[in-house]
Amino acid sequence: MFDVWNNVLAELEQKISQENYATFFAQTNTSLISTDDGMIQIGVPNIFMQANIRKKFDQQIRDALISNKISVKNTNYVIVNNATRVKKPREVVLEDLQTRVNTVEKIKIPTNNFNPTLLTGLNNKFTMDNFVVGTNNELAVAVAKNIIENPGDKYNPFFLYGGPGLGKTHLVEAIGNELLKRNPKLKILYTPINHFYSDFITAVRKGDMENFHKKFQKLDVLIIDDFQFIVGKEKSQEEFFNIFNDMHQANKQVIITSDRLPSQIKTVDERLASRLTMTGAFDLQYPTFEDRCAILHAKAEFDGVDVENQAIEYIAKNVETNIRDLQSLYGKIIALSELKGVSPLTIIQDGLASISTGSVRSRNLTPKTIVGKVSDYYNITPDELCGKSRVSNIKTARQVAMFLMSKDLQMSTPKIALEVGVKDHTTVMHGIKKIESDMKLNFSLRDEISEIREQLSE
C-alpha cells in the first residue's frame, strides 16, 4: 500500500500546483488504507482535508491509482485519528534511507556529471524597476535596497513575510536580479522550500550528500521562498539550519519569505525561528486604496495601455484582497477591451467584466448561511452570534460574520447590523476594521477565515 500511495503522491506532485500539493499532501498524513474490489479507502487527518481533497483532487487521485493498475469503483475518504494514523509513506522512506546511508555502499556519481555552474532559478521579469512602492511595503523595500548595496551585511538574514499575492516573491527575486546585474560573477540561487526538500530527499536516496552540500557551499546568496511549507519536515529543517549557519558565518546573504513568522509555523525549531529573525522580520501588508491605484497606473504604463482614471478607481475599489487578484481583474478588463475594441471604462460600464477574484460569491450564499457556518465553526449557536454577548469567542465570531458579509456579499453596514442583531452600523464598521487589522499579523485568524470560506464554497 505504501508503495502504491507513494507513486500516487509522486504523480499528484507533477499534476497539481506546488501550493496545493504542499497544503493538502506534503504537509499532511494521508494514506491508502485499502483497495479491495475497487472500493478505495484513503486516510485523511481531519474533516477539513476530507472535504477539500475529495472536492478538488478526487479525479486526479483516481487517475493516478488507475495508472498504478488499481481498479477504482468508488473512493471514500476516511478520517484517521492520531492514535491510529499510519505514517505518511514519504516520511517513512526518508527515515529508512537515512539509516541505510551509513550501512550500504553509496551510489557513485561520475564527476563529469556534476555541473559546477549553478542555475539561479530567478525569473528576470521581476525587477526593482517594476515593483511599485507604497505605504504597505516601503520599509521592506528600503531593506531590499540596503541588501543590494551591501549583501551579507546589516540585514542578514532578511526575513520577509505577508499574505499571498502581496509581492514577496517579486521583491526577493528582484533583489537577486539586481545583485546579478551589478556583479554577474555572484553565485545566487532562488528556490522554493519544497524544491530544497525534494533535492535533499534525492541526495539521501542516492547517497550523494557531498554534492548537495557543495551546491550551497559555492553560493554567495541563497533565496528561500514559501518557508512555511517546511512544517513537518524535521530532517529538512536540520539540514537547512546547518546550511544557514555556514552561510551566515561566512557573511553570505540569506533571504527567506513566508506567509507568517517562523514562531507561528508549527514544528519549526525554536533555535531556527530565532536565527531567521535575528535582524528583524519585515512584512508586506495589504495595499490601501491609494496603493492599489498606484499599482494599476504603473501596470498600465508598463503595458503601454491607456486606462481611464475611473476604470483604475473602479478596480481598486472592488478588489481589496491582494495584488494578484487586483492584477487578475485588471487583466480581464484589458483583454475584453482589446477584444471588443472599446475602452476599459466602457467594458466596466457595460457590465462585461464581472468581479471574480477568488473570494466566495456563490449564488446560494446568503447572510443566514454565513451566520450558520461561522457559528458552527466557532462552536456556538446562531442565536449567540446574533445576540448581545461580549464573551471573547462569540464577539470574534460576530465580527468574522460581519467581515464575510461585507467582503463576500458586498452588503452595506446598516444591512449587516440587522442580520447580526447590532443596533448601530458603526459597530459593524468597527468590527470589520478590527478583523482587517488583525488579519495582517494574526495568521491563525487568517487561516480560520480561509477555512470558513472553503466551507461556504462547498
Side-chain angles (χ1 to χ4, degrees):
M1 292 291 182
F2 281 160
D3 290 341
V4 173
W5 190 242
N6 196 32
N7 291 339
V8 169
L9 291 174
E11 289 194 31
L12 288 173
E13 189 170 11
Q14 297 299 316
K15 292 180 179 179
I16 65 179
S17 72
Q18 174 192 326
E19 292 80 4
N20 278 335
Y21 182 80
T23 300
F24 295 98
F25 297 101
Q27 298 181 43
T28 59
N29 288 313
T30 58
S31 59
L32 184 59
I33 298 173
S34 68
T35 61
D36 297 340
D37 298 322
M39 306 302 288
I40 310 299
Q41 281 200 323
I42 297 167
V44 295
N46 55 52
I47 190 170
F48 173 71
M49 288 297 177
Q50 181 188 48
N52 279 277
I53 291 177
R54 179 175 60 235
K55 176 183 175 183
K56 296 179 178 180
F57 310 110
D58 183 68
Q59 190 57 54
Q60 290 97 322
I61 290 172
R62 285 170 175 260
D63 292 343
L65 286 167
I66 291 170
S67 70
N68 281 276
K69 299 180 180 179
I70 301 294
S71 174
V72 180
K73 295 179 182 177
N74 184 48
T75 48
N76 185 28
Y77 296 86
V78 180
I79 298 173
V80 181
N81 62 41
N82 290 328
T84 61
R85 182 178 294 161
V86 179
K87 283 187 178 180
K88 185 180 171 187
R90 291 194 168 208
E91 296 298 331
V92 172
V93 171
L94 178 58
E95 295 290 337
D96 183 47
L97 286 169
Q98 286 168 335
T99 303
R100 290 188 214 168
V101 165
N102 298 322
T103 59
V104 302
E105 184 178 356
K106 295 182 178 180
I107 299 172
K108 301 297 181 182
I109 307 297
T111 305
N112 57 5
N113 283 351
F114 177 70
N115 183 1
T117 303
L118 290 168
L119 297 175
T120 67
L122 295 168
N123 187 331
N124 58 17
K125 77 175 184 180
F126 294 128
T127 68
M128 294 302 293
D129 290 338
N130 60 24
F131 187 87
V132 180
V133 182
T135 57
N136 63 312
N137 59 27
E138 56 189 354
L139 178 58
V141 171
V143 173
K145 289 179 177 178
N146 185 285
I147 292 170
I148 292 167
E149 295 292 336
N150 307 287
D153 190 13
K154 185 177 180 180
Y155 296 104
N156 188 27
F158 175 37
F159 191 92
L160 181 67
Y161 71 101
L166 296 180
K168 298 186 299 295
T169 298
H170 186 150
L171 183 58
V172 298
E173 290 204 52
I175 294 172
N177 284 321
E178 189 63 34
L179 286 170
L180 273 182
K181 189 190 301 182
R182 297 185 177 208
N183 184 359
K185 292 183 180 180
L186 281 178
K187 294 182 175 64
I188 299 175
L189 178 64
Y190 162 86
T191 181
I193 194 66
N194 281 338
H195 291 186
F196 176 90
Y197 169 68
S198 297
D199 290 346
F200 172 58
I201 290 177
T202 300
V204 172
R205 188 178 72 246
K206 292 183 177 180
D208 192 33
M209 290 301 294
E210 183 179 351
N211 273 334
F212 179 80
H213 290 144
K214 270 185 184 180
K215 179 171 73 171
F216 294 97
Q217 289 167 0
K218 292 175 178 289
L219 291 177
D220 298 304
V221 180
L222 174 61
I223 303 172
I224 295 288
D225 206 359
D226 290 326
F227 184 76
Q228 70 272 10
F229 293 140
I230 203 168
V231 64
K233 301 178 176 68
E234 287 81 7
K235 298 298 180 182
S236 294
Q237 284 186 46
E238 290 178 18
E239 192 62 40
F240 178 75
F241 183 79
N242 293 331
I243 290 169
F244 167 79
N245 276 341
D246 290 343
M247 292 192 68
H248 186 263
Q249 289 175 9
N251 294 322
K252 295 180 176 181
Q253 183 70 49
V254 181
I255 299 171
I256 308 102
T257 79
S258 174
D259 72 349
R260 64 198 66 196
L261 292 165
S263 59
Q264 295 170 316
I265 303 173
K266 295 178 181 178
T267 77
V268 167
D269 182 82
E270 288 184 10
R271 294 179 308 155
L272 178 56
S274 176
R275 293 288 182 91
L276 292 182
T277 55
M278 67 172 70
T279 63
F282 303 89
D283 68 323
L284 296 182
Q285 299 182 5
Y286 288 95
T288 64
F289 173 76
E290 291 77 9
D291 292 330
R292 298 194 296 275
C293 287
I295 290 166
L296 292 170
H297 278 297
K299 177 70 173 168
E301 183 178 348
F302 182 80
D303 293 341
V305 178
D306 290 326
V307 184
E308 303 91 337
N309 285 336
Q310 286 176 276
I312 293 286
E313 292 176 4
Y314 169 86
I315 299 170
K317 181 179 179 181
N318 282 282
V319 181
E320 299 178 341
T321 46
N322 57 48
I323 298 168
R324 189 176 297 143
D325 289 345
L326 190 73
Q327 293 182 338
S328 175
L329 182 56
Y330 161 86
K332 182 176 182 180
I333 290 172
I334 297 303
L336 285 169
S337 170
E338 293 174 350
L339 179 65
K340 302 288 185 181
V342 297
S343 71
L345 184 58
T346 301
I347 292 295
I348 293 168
Q349 290 172 338
D350 291 348
L352 298 177
S354 60
I355 303 167
S356 179
T357 58
S359 61
V360 181
R361 288 193 179 92
S362 167
R363 291 179 182 176
N364 298 321
L365 188 59
T366 65
K368 186 176 180 180
T369 306
I370 289 177
V371 168
K373 288 291 185 182
V374 172
S375 298
D376 289 344
Y377 187 88
Y378 288 103
N379 198 27
I380 61 176
T381 67
D383 286 343
E384 287 176 317
L385 187 148
C386 297
K388 297 181 180 180
S389 173
R390 306 293 293 173
V391 175
S392 178
N393 69 311
I394 296 177
K395 183 179 178 181
T396 298
R398 188 180 299 125
Q399 290 174 337
V400 167
M402 294 174 181
F403 172 83
L404 291 172
M405 288 181 198
S406 172
K407 302 302 179 184
D408 296 346
L409 293 181
Q410 302 293 301
M411 290 175 60
S412 66
T413 51
K415 287 184 178 179
I416 294 173
L418 291 173
E419 293 292 341
V420 297
V422 175
K423 292 182 179 180
D424 189 351
H425 76 96
T426 58
T427 303
V428 176
M429 293 172 63
H430 169 76
I432 294 170
K433 287 181 179 179
K434 177 73 163 55
I435 295 298
E436 288 175 336
S437 175
D438 288 352
M439 284 177 68
K440 292 177 181 178
L441 292 176
N442 187 336
F443 298 97
S444 295
L445 176 62
R446 188 185 296 172
D447 290 343
E448 288 170 10
I449 290 175
S450 178
E451 288 181 21
I452 293 170
R453 277 178 160 151
E454 287 283 351
Q455 294 175 12
L456 287 167
S457 67
E458 293 175 2

